[in-house]
């Protein structure tokens, strides 16, 4: 597990948000305006995306955005020590 502060939301909350985002059109951004990258994990402390995912969000297809959203609950669980590395 990375030595990072607890995610803004729990894995369960992130899963609920991801479920809603996976069905939304257009696909909403997971940004929480906590834009700080954690060097150990490589994830933003607010939205749990990588810098590449953040940079490419505006030009990503809805399919790619949904793929990213689908990964966020697992990342939250990993960072909380509830799951193996994603």
């Amino acid at each position: 597990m990375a030595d990072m502060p607890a995610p803004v939301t729990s894995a369960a909350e992130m899963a609920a948000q991801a479920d809603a985002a996976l069905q939304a059109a257009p696909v909403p951004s997971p940004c929480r305006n906590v834009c700080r990258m954690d060097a150990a994990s490589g994830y933003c402390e607010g939205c749990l995306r990588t810098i590449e995912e953040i940079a490419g969000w505006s030009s990503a297809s809805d399919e790619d955005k949904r793929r990213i959203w689908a990964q966020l609950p697992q990342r939250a669980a990993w960072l909380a020590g509830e799951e193996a590395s994603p």
Side-chain angles (χ1 to χ4, degrees), residues 16-38:
Q17 291 171 4
D19 285 344
L22 291 173
Q23 298 181 30
V27 179
S29 171
C31 181
R32 300 179 165 284
N33 297 318
V34 180
C35 308
R36 286 187 306 265
M37 298 305 294
D38 178 73

Side-chain angles (χ1 to χ4, degrees), residues 51-86:
I51 193 71
E52 293 83 9
E53 291 167 344
I54 293 166
W57 188 264
S58 63
S59 62
S61 67
D62 279 354
E63 179 180 335
D64 285 340
K65 291 176 180 179
R66 287 186 177 98
R67 179 189 51 77
I68 293 166
W69 262 110
Q71 295 174 19
L72 300 182
Q74 181 183 13
R75 292 175 185 177
W78 172 66
L79 291 168
E82 300 168 2
E83 206 171 285
S85 176

Side-chain angles (χ1 to χ4, degrees), residues 2-8 36 38 45 48 79-80:
D3 187 22
M4 178 174 155
V8 173
R36 286 187 306 265
D38 178 73
E45 292 179 18
L48 304 181
L79 291 168

